[in-house]
Amino acid sequence: MKTRKIRTLQGRIPKGERGPKIQFEVDGKIHFSYRGETVAAALLADGKQIFRLSPKKQEPRGLYCGMGSCFECIVTINGVPNVRACMTPVEEGMRVETGMKARSKLQGKNDETC
């Protein structure tokens, strides 16, 4: 059996350029990201892994497939509900509401972990 040599880029993948830093709002708090990143990427970079709770069992949901197939990462963006965070680029001044904001209000406390 003949083997083929795989060509590499000097052993490293070149670093990509980030867009300009932008400001947006998540559950009433100011956050920063970079133009070109998705809302899901910005939330994950900020340490948020839970975007909402499932309707029936109230189980945590967040980024799963990362390509828009599963709808686990839905959030409300600028008042529009059920928007897939993994498919939506973050924009300057965007208002994002996770399902965790409503949960915190119902419990009467600020849930920083979500």
Side-chain angles (χ1 to χ4, degrees):
M1 179 177 197
K2 190 176 183 181
T3 59
R4 295 182 352 176
K5 189 174 181 178
I6 298 173
R7 198 182 310 174
T8 62
L9 299 171
Q10 305 297 332
R12 293 205 158 256
I13 297 174
K15 186 175 180 179
E17 295 293 321
R18 281 189 136 167
K21 193 172 188 177
I22 58 174
Q23 178 178 315
F24 68 110
E25 183 180 307
V26 179
D27 294 335
K29 295 181 181 177
I30 300 299
H31 292 263
F32 296 93
S33 184
Y34 297 90
R35 190 168 310 284
E37 294 182 343
T38 64
V39 172
L43 292 174
L44 287 174
D46 225 16
K48 294 191 179 298
Q49 296 179 344
I50 301 171
F51 298 176
R52 66 182 182 95
L53 297 177
S54 63
K56 284 188 178 182
K57 294 185 178 182
Q58 298 298 296
E59 296 174 326
R61 297 289 184 247
L63 185 64
Y64 183 67
C65 73
M67 60 183 185
S69 297
C70 72
F71 289 82
E72 293 295 327
C73 65
I74 57 173
V75 294
T76 299
I77 297 179
N78 295 332
V80 180
N82 302 325
V83 178
R84 292 173 289 177
C86 69
M87 300 298 292
T88 307
V90 70
E91 296 177 2
E92 181 76 37
M94 179 182 272
R95 288 183 345 230
V96 179
E97 293 178 36
T98 66
M100 304 314 295
K101 181 179 179 181
R103 177 177 172 239
S104 294
K105 282 184 179 179
L106 289 174
Q107 291 179 340
K109 63 181 181 180
N110 187 6
D111 191 355
E112 290 294 328
T113 61
C114 299

